[in-house]
Amino acid sequence: MAPFEGRTVLVVGTGLVGTSVGLALTRAGVDVRLADAKPEILAEAVRLGAGRPEPDGPGEPAALAVVAVPPEAVAEVIGEVLESRRAEYATDVASVKVLPTMQVRERVADPGRYVGSHPMAGREVSGPNAALADLFEGRPWVICPDDGTHQQAVTRALAVARLVGATPMTMTAAEHDAAVALVSHTPHVVAALMAGRLAGAPGHEVRLAGPGVTDVTRIASGDPELWTEILTANAAAVRPVLEGLRTDLDRLMAALETPVAGQPVLRELLRGGVDGRSRLPGKHGAAHTEFATVIVAVEDKPGQLAALFADAGAAGVNVEDVRIEHAAGQPLGLVELDVRPGAEDELAASLRERGWTIRG
Amino acid sequence: MAPFEGRTVLVVGTGLVGTSVGLALTRAGVDVRLADAKPEILAEAVRLGAGRPEPDGPGEPAALAVVAVPPEAVAEVIGEVLESRRAEYATDVASVKVLPTMQVRERVADPGRYVGSHPMAGREVSGPNAALADLFEGRPWVICPDDGTHQQAVTRALAVARLVGATPMTMTAAEHDAAVALVSHTPHVVAALMAGRLAGAPGHEVRLAGPGVTDVTRIASGDPELWTEILTANAAAVRPVLEGLRTDLDRLMAALETPVAGQPVLRELLRGGVDGRSRLPGKHGAAHTEFATVIVAVEDKPGQLAALFADAGAAGVNVEDVRIEHAAGQPLGLVELDVRPGAEDELAASLRERGWTIRG
């Protein structure tokens, strides 16, 4: 906590993210002050140990304010906090960055005291009670300085990101918004539109659904209100990605409408999918690794997974990833264990020896 | 094996699917004969115990031929097998059904002796060596009779589906093709086009990718050659689904281009995604169930998962599903345990007591 030695950090807005920041900074030894428009929400965050309430009246300004309020309130709160000198510098945590940056510029005499940031972590639930001191552990925390940003604002925001255990990255607000449009907002649109096709489909069609469409549509169950706001706020960055997608979709539909020998367009688009997929980061931020998979049939009852993992552990093979697939109409699940290529035979043999039914 | 008492089943094509059918039928006590154009592939299937080679020359016809050859060869092989009376009835296993049904009609004097079928199981690998006696266990096996199909063809194909452990379903070839267009082929297109957007993206954008886009694009790594064939063969059924998708995409893009208060179109489309997603079958073919999730931080080393599942088992809570998420840049993984709603507090408390770091 050297960067905040003898100083305080102010967290404004003690919902899930604000309270998690407070808990993590407090654990790291930082003196955290908390504020929230709702006294009961503030009291809850204090009770959980996220910090102490911000004292009333003028006093020593905080070294940095972390403003964790709903996106539409960000600029107003940042403006108030900086102009009233409750803090020397301020950052926010909203998932879109160009819009708040522009809004802050219009409101603050010295907008260089603000730097936008986006911790890429969250939960399906909200409120201080859902907060976790290690919510940001190992997650990217993007910080978006521009030419006018004071170095101290960046240094202090980076210090917060590191103190809460996140992996800080810096890029411009426009780069950030383009990146989340590509890797978060467009995938949400794609999943939602695909899932939408299932909504009116006959039952016998939906009954044939397997693990593929289940994966593709998983994120489509996200809150439509929240996603309407996110997509609207980042429309400028999402639209070009959707336009590229629309062009590819048109080309693919034309290739299906008028097939030609060898279907070169279809092949090219499907190969592009394989290429793009291979660029996704694998575990530990390393390049994407293809694992070998051992498939085990297990009965669907308590203790089976425990026994399986105990036996896998006894084989001395590290399980890198695991998926469970349930067979329709059967009290039986398939557990897919991903292991480093080369270790699959050893694991399969060892599990077979211990009486497991191996399918792969 | 009553349906095949004193009779034989002929499997033509001893790759992954044919050999798996042979293994499963043999295990069920059926007398299986095998044939393959490549002698070494046939020999391998025989060696694995999938059946005995079909005797040369005329003899008692098999009760049913299961033709498991590449899609483009299906009609020719079915025609030959039926016309030469190597089998009384025949079925195939291709993943598209209208096209082979039409082709068989053109080739066979009595096309009612053929019934199309589609066992919805497979593996990433191919060949007899990858075959598994329980490949079809609990999987849907669709059988597609039409008005001209002999009842015996249907009865015998159903018997095979049941004997190999699959869950048989009957529908028309057109219904089947529409169903797989919706739940399998269109999701593949969507995943591939989304993944294609990542192919040319800057590295700093791809580095922000999280579990959402990883799920959406997982199936995009499927073989482009195979998927080019599948999409081309089922183009007539895939196109209307893609047209619906494109209409929705256009509406969504228009809503982002010209936002209106409350964004009703965007909301409606995102809600449609939530609705469609909720129709996907859950485990055991039951309606989709939302589980409660307990998130546990584990170190990335052998034995950790074993210890975790042992402790979860000791809590007496059945883990319904599990996902592992690896944090970028950290030797730490998050394990998400899905349990029946209501059981999450008990499991979390029990794991916490045993020293685990719970995040949810």
Side-chain angles (χ1 to χ4, degrees), chain A residues 73-109:
Chain A
V74 164
E76 190 186 333
V77 174
I78 294 274
E80 192 281 319
V81 162
L82 290 178
E83 296 303 315
S84 68
R85 297 204 61 83
R86 286 164 72 191
E88 291 172 358
Y89 299 96
T91 190
D92 70 324
V93 298
S95 60
V96 168
K97 295 270 64 81
V98 170
L99 194 64
T101 304
M102 277 170 37
Q103 290 170 334
V104 167
R105 260 190 219 128
E106 286 163 14
R107 285 169 180 274
V108 179

Tab-separated table of all heavy atoms in Angstrom, chain A residues 73-109:
chain	number	residue	atom	x	y	z
A	73	ALA	N	-24.903	7.582	-13.969
A	73	ALA	CA	-24.595	8.557	-12.921
A	73	ALA	C	-23.100	8.865	-12.821
A	73	ALA	O	-22.695	9.756	-12.064
A	73	ALA	CB	-25.113	8.039	-11.574
A	74	VAL	N	-22.273	8.150	-13.584
A	74	VAL	CA	-20.824	8.243	-13.410
A	74	VAL	C	-20.309	9.682	-13.518
A	74	VAL	O	-19.628	10.189	-12.620
A	74	VAL	CB	-20.081	7.330	-14.418
A	74	VAL	CG1	-18.600	7.696	-14.516
A	74	VAL	CG2	-20.221	5.868	-14.006
A	75	ALA	N	-20.630	10.357	-14.637
A	75	ALA	CA	-20.044	11.672	-14.903
A	75	ALA	C	-20.438	12.676	-13.816
A	75	ALA	O	-19.599	13.454	-13.341
A	75	ALA	CB	-20.478	12.169	-16.281
A	76	GLU	N	-21.685	12.648	-13.418
A	76	GLU	CA	-22.154	13.586	-12.395
A	76	GLU	C	-21.399	13.371	-11.078
A	76	GLU	O	-20.931	14.331	-10.451
A	76	GLU	CB	-23.661	13.396	-12.185
A	76	GLU	CG	-24.272	14.486	-11.323
A	76	GLU	CD	-25.736	14.202	-10.992
A	76	GLU	OE1	-26.392	13.505	-11.809
A	76	GLU	OE2	-26.199	14.649	-9.924
A	77	VAL	N	-21.262	12.126	-10.657
A	77	VAL	CA	-20.592	11.829	-9.385
A	77	VAL	C	-19.097	12.163	-9.477
A	77	VAL	O	-18.528	12.759	-8.554
A	77	VAL	CB	-20.828	10.364	-8.967
A	77	VAL	CG1	-20.014	10.028	-7.727
A	77	VAL	CG2	-22.315	10.108	-8.726
A	78	ILE	N	-18.461	11.796	-10.591
A	78	ILE	CA	-17.038	12.136	-10.773
A	78	ILE	C	-16.865	13.651	-10.669
A	78	ILE	O	-15.970	14.160	-9.967
A	78	ILE	CB	-16.525	11.638	-12.156
A	78	ILE	CG1	-16.535	10.117	-12.232
A	78	ILE	CG2	-15.153	12.242	-12.484
A	78	ILE	CD1	-15.325	9.416	-11.695
A	79	GLY	N	-17.734	14.395	-11.366
A	79	GLY	CA	-17.657	15.856	-11.348
A	79	GLY	C	-17.773	16.398	-9.938
A	79	GLY	O	-16.941	17.216	-9.493
A	80	GLU	N	-18.747	15.918	-9.195
A	80	GLU	CA	-18.979	16.410	-7.832
A	80	GLU	C	-17.789	16.095	-6.925
A	80	GLU	O	-17.298	16.955	-6.179
A	80	GLU	CB	-20.280	15.782	-7.298
A	80	GLU	CG	-20.807	16.413	-6.011
A	80	GLU	CD	-20.066	15.912	-4.785
A	80	GLU	OE1	-19.779	14.697	-4.704
A	80	GLU	OE2	-19.762	16.752	-3.904
A	81	VAL	N	-17.281	14.858	-7.026
A	81	VAL	CA	-16.186	14.412	-6.151
A	81	VAL	C	-14.915	15.235	-6.399
A	81	VAL	O	-14.223	15.629	-5.452
A	81	VAL	CB	-15.921	12.900	-6.377
A	81	VAL	CG1	-14.551	12.499	-5.853
A	81	VAL	CG2	-17.022	12.068	-5.725
A	82	LEU	N	-14.639	15.513	-7.687
A	82	LEU	CA	-13.416	16.258	-8.014
A	82	LEU	C	-13.572	17.749	-7.698
A	82	LEU	O	-12.671	18.362	-7.115
A	82	LEU	CB	-13.045	16.065	-9.491
A	82	LEU	CG	-12.545	14.660	-9.876
A	82	LEU	CD1	-12.248	14.590	-11.369
A	82	LEU	CD2	-11.300	14.261	-9.058
A	83	GLU	N	-14.717	18.332	-8.070
A	83	GLU	CA	-14.907	19.778	-7.875
A	83	GLU	C	-14.967	20.131	-6.388
A	83	GLU	O	-14.463	21.168	-5.960
A	83	GLU	CB	-16.172	20.254	-8.599
A	83	GLU	CG	-16.099	20.110	-10.127
A	83	GLU	CD	-14.900	20.846	-10.747
A	83	GLU	OE1	-14.650	21.994	-10.368
A	83	GLU	OE2	-14.196	20.244	-11.605
A	84	SER	N	-15.575	19.252	-5.577
A	84	SER	CA	-15.672	19.534	-4.131
A	84	SER	C	-14.399	19.103	-3.391
A	84	SER	O	-14.329	19.207	-2.173
A	84	SER	CB	-16.875	18.803	-3.549
A	84	SER	OG	-16.626	17.413	-3.579
A	85	ARG	N	-13.431	18.586	-4.149
A	85	ARG	CA	-12.151	18.115	-3.580
A	85	ARG	C	-12.316	17.052	-2.495
A	85	ARG	O	-11.541	16.998	-1.535
A	85	ARG	CB	-11.292	19.292	-3.077
A	85	ARG	CG	-10.891	20.242	-4.239
A	85	ARG	CD	-9.619	21.030	-3.933
A	85	ARG	NE	-8.452	20.195	-3.716
A	85	ARG	CZ	-7.696	19.700	-4.715
A	85	ARG	NH1	-7.999	19.926	-5.970
A	85	ARG	NH2	-6.649	18.964	-4.428
A	86	ARG	N	-13.334	16.183	-2.664
A	86	ARG	CA	-13.403	14.999	-1.781
A	86	ARG	C	-12.243	14.058	-2.122
A	86	ARG	O	-11.843	13.250	-1.291
A	86	ARG	CB	-14.731	14.267	-1.971
A	86	ARG	CG	-15.921	14.996	-1.336
A	86	ARG	CD	-17.236	14.470	-1.854
A	86	ARG	NE	-17.578	13.144	-1.364
A	86	ARG	CZ	-18.591	12.419	-1.856
A	86	ARG	NH1	-19.338	12.891	-2.855
A	86	ARG	NH2	-18.867	11.231	-1.356
A	87	ALA	N	-11.754	14.156	-3.363
A	87	ALA	CA	-10.583	13.353	-3.751
A	87	ALA	C	-9.746	14.147	-4.750
A	87	ALA	O	-10.266	14.990	-5.476
A	87	ALA	CB	-11.029	12.033	-4.382
A	88	GLU	N	-8.437	13.866	-4.779
A	88	GLU	CA	-7.554	14.553	-5.719
A	88	GLU	C	-7.746	14.042	-7.145
A	88	GLU	O	-7.707	14.805	-8.099
A	88	GLU	CB	-6.091	14.356	-5.298
A	88	GLU	CG	-5.759	15.102	-4.004
A	88	GLU	CD	-4.371	14.741	-3.479
A	88	GLU	OE1	-3.689	13.885	-4.094
A	88	GLU	OE2	-3.981	15.313	-2.440
A	89	TYR	N	-7.915	12.737	-7.249
A	89	TYR	CA	-8.093	12.104	-8.561
A	89	TYR	C	-9.272	11.133	-8.457
A	89	TYR	O	-9.685	10.766	-7.356
A	89	TYR	CB	-6.819	11.359	-8.984
A	89	TYR	CG	-5.637	12.300	-9.115
A	89	TYR	CD1	-4.725	12.458	-8.066
A	89	TYR	CD2	-5.455	13.053	-10.279
A	89	TYR	CE1	-3.661	13.342	-8.169
A	89	TYR	CE2	-4.395	13.947	-10.389
A	89	TYR	CZ	-3.491	14.085	-9.334
A	89	TYR	OH	-2.454	14.962	-9.445
A	90	ALA	N	-9.789	10.750	-9.617
A	90	ALA	CA	-10.933	9.836	-9.587
A	90	ALA	C	-10.894	8.880	-10.772
A	90	ALA	O	-10.379	9.204	-11.845
A	90	ALA	CB	-12.249	10.631	-9.604
A	91	THR	N	-11.445	7.702	-10.558
A	91	THR	CA	-11.654	6.732	-11.636
A	91	THR	C	-13.054	6.153	-11.484
A	91	THR	O	-13.705	6.345	-10.444
A	91	THR	CB	-10.577	5.618	-11.612
A	91	THR	OG1	-10.703	4.850	-12.823
A	91	THR	CG2	-10.749	4.680	-10.422
A	92	ASP	N	-13.535	5.471	-12.523
A	92	ASP	CA	-14.840	4.810	-12.425
A	92	ASP	C	-14.642	3.342	-12.785
A	92	ASP	O	-13.503	2.907	-13.021
A	92	ASP	CB	-15.859	5.469	-13.366
A	92	ASP	CG	-15.553	5.192	-14.818
A	92	ASP	OD1	-14.349	5.132	-15.154
A	92	ASP	OD2	-16.481	5.010	-15.617
A	93	VAL	N	-15.726	2.570	-12.834
A	93	VAL	CA	-15.599	1.141	-13.131
A	93	VAL	C	-16.614	0.705	-14.197
A	93	VAL	O	-16.895	-0.489	-14.339
A	93	VAL	CB	-15.799	0.284	-11.855
A	93	VAL	CG1	-14.734	0.612	-10.811
A	93	VAL	CG2	-17.195	0.482	-11.266
A	94	ALA	N	-17.163	1.675	-14.956
A	94	ALA	CA	-18.218	1.336	-15.921
A	94	ALA	C	-17.662	0.517	-17.082
A	94	ALA	O	-16.489	0.633	-17.430
A	94	ALA	CB	-18.880	2.608	-16.441
A	95	SER	N	-18.529	-0.295	-17.696
A	95	SER	CA	-18.073	-1.255	-18.710
A	95	SER	C	-17.929	-0.633	-20.096
A	95	SER	O	-17.560	-1.316	-21.044
A	95	SER	CB	-19.022	-2.453	-18.772
A	95	SER	OG	-20.322	-2.016	-19.097
A	96	VAL	N	-18.237	0.648	-20.227
A	96	VAL	CA	-18.023	1.380	-21.476
A	96	VAL	C	-17.218	2.612	-21.095
A	96	VAL	O	-17.391	3.161	-20.001
A	96	VAL	CB	-19.379	1.751	-22.110
A	96	VAL	CG1	-19.219	2.753	-23.229
A	96	VAL	CG2	-20.061	0.488	-22.647
A	97	LYS	N	-16.290	3.067	-21.937
A	97	LYS	CA	-15.368	4.115	-21.499
A	97	LYS	C	-15.414	5.420	-22.286
A	97	LYS	O	-15.130	6.487	-21.730
A	97	LYS	CB	-13.914	3.588	-21.475
A	97	LYS	CG	-13.664	2.479	-20.464
A	97	LYS	CD	-13.233	2.940	-19.075
A	97	LYS	CE	-14.180	3.743	-18.269
A	97	LYS	NZ	-15.202	2.963	-17.562
A	98	VAL	N	-15.753	5.411	-23.575
A	98	VAL	CA	-15.743	6.656	-24.348
A	98	VAL	C	-16.797	7.630	-23.819
A	98	VAL	O	-16.519	8.813	-23.591
A	98	VAL	CB	-15.971	6.375	-25.853
A	98	VAL	CG1	-16.206	7.677	-26.616
A	98	VAL	CG2	-14.768	5.627	-26.440
A	99	LEU	N	-17.997	7.122	-23.587
A	99	LEU	CA	-19.105	7.979	-23.167
A	99	LEU	C	-18.830	8.681	-21.832
A	99	LEU	O	-18.908	9.921	-21.761
A	99	LEU	CB	-20.392	7.141	-23.112
A	99	LEU	CG	-21.699	7.910	-23.014
A	99	LEU	CD1	-21.932	8.760	-24.257
A	99	LEU	CD2	-22.870	6.929	-22.828
A	100	PRO	N	-18.455	7.963	-20.739
A	100	PRO	CA	-18.183	8.689	-19.486
A	100	PRO	C	-17.007	9.659	-19.610
A	100	PRO	O	-17.029	10.733	-19.001
A	100	PRO	CB	-17.884	7.575	-18.473
A	100	PRO	CG	-17.652	6.342	-19.266
A	100	PRO	CD	-18.399	6.500	-20.546
A	101	THR	N	-15.994	9.295	-20.407
A	101	THR	CA	-14.843	10.188	-20.570
A	101	THR	C	-15.285	11.522	-21.181
A	101	THR	O	-14.893	12.600	-20.715
A	101	THR	CB	-13.770	9.521	-21.462
A	101	THR	OG1	-13.422	8.262	-20.882
A	101	THR	CG2	-12.529	10.381	-21.581
A	102	MET	N	-16.134	11.443	-22.220
A	102	MET	CA	-16.651	12.669	-22.848
A	102	MET	C	-17.499	13.469	-21.860
A	102	MET	O	-17.397	14.694	-21.774
A	102	MET	CB	-17.516	12.315	-24.056
A	102	MET	CG	-16.716	12.062	-25.323
A	102	MET	SD	-17.767	11.347	-26.640
A	102	MET	CE	-19.324	12.224	-26.375
A	103	GLN	N	-18.337	12.774	-21.116
A	103	GLN	CA	-19.232	13.453	-20.181
A	103	GLN	C	-18.448	14.136	-19.066
A	103	GLN	O	-18.800	15.236	-18.632
A	103	GLN	CB	-20.240	12.458	-19.599
A	103	GLN	CG	-21.258	11.980	-20.637
A	103	GLN	CD	-22.101	10.812	-20.136
A	103	GLN	OE1	-21.671	10.047	-19.267
A	103	GLN	NE2	-23.292	10.664	-20.690
A	104	VAL	N	-17.372	13.481	-18.590
A	104	VAL	CA	-16.559	14.077	-17.529
A	104	VAL	C	-15.884	15.347	-18.053
A	104	VAL	O	-15.832	16.370	-17.364
A	104	VAL	CB	-15.516	13.077	-16.992
A	104	VAL	CG1	-14.471	13.786	-16.124
A	104	VAL	CG2	-16.202	11.964	-16.200
A	105	ARG	N	-15.396	15.310	-19.287
A	105	ARG	CA	-14.734	16.472	-19.889
A	105	ARG	C	-15.641	17.704	-19.876
A	105	ARG	O	-15.166	18.825	-19.715
A	105	ARG	CB	-14.333	16.174	-21.340
A	105	ARG	CG	-12.874	15.823	-21.455
A	105	ARG	CD	-12.430	15.777	-22.918
A	105	ARG	NE	-11.500	14.673	-23.086
A	105	ARG	CZ	-11.595	13.716	-23.990
A	105	ARG	NH1	-12.596	13.729	-24.852
A	105	ARG	NH2	-10.702	12.759	-24.041
A	106	GLU	N	-16.934	17.475	-20.067
A	106	GLU	CA	-17.877	18.599	-20.109
A	106	GLU	C	-18.157	19.188	-18.724
A	106	GLU	O	-18.665	20.294	-18.605
A	106	GLU	CB	-19.217	18.139	-20.712
A	106	GLU	CG	-19.143	17.939	-22.223
A	106	GLU	CD	-20.306	17.097	-22.742
A	106	GLU	OE1	-21.290	16.899	-21.984
A	106	GLU	OE2	-20.215	16.629	-23.884
A	107	ARG	N	-17.878	18.408	-17.677
A	107	ARG	CA	-18.297	18.814	-16.352
A	107	ARG	C	-17.162	19.294	-15.457
A	107	ARG	O	-17.412	19.988	-14.472
A	107	ARG	CB	-18.927	17.622	-15.615
A	107	ARG	CG	-20.304	17.284	-16.084
A	107	ARG	CD	-20.707	15.947	-15.504
A	107	ARG	NE	-22.041	15.614	-15.952
A	107	ARG	CZ	-23.146	16.011	-15.356
A	107	ARG	NH1	-23.081	16.743	-14.256
A	107	ARG	NH2	-24.328	15.681	-15.833
A	108	VAL	N	-15.925	18.862	-15.727
A	108	VAL	CA	-14.846	19.052	-14.771
A	108	VAL	C	-13.854	20.072	-15.317
A	108	VAL	O	-13.483	20.016	-16.489
A	108	VAL	CB	-14.145	17.701	-14.500
A	108	VAL	CG1	-12.997	17.881	-13.521
A	108	VAL	CG2	-15.151	16.687	-13.965
A	109	ALA	N	-13.438	21.019	-14.455
A	109	ALA	CA	-12.509	22.072	-14.877
A	109	ALA	C	-11.189	21.464	-15.355
A	109	ALA	O	-10.636	21.886	-16.373
A	109	ALA	CB	-12.256	23.030	-13.707
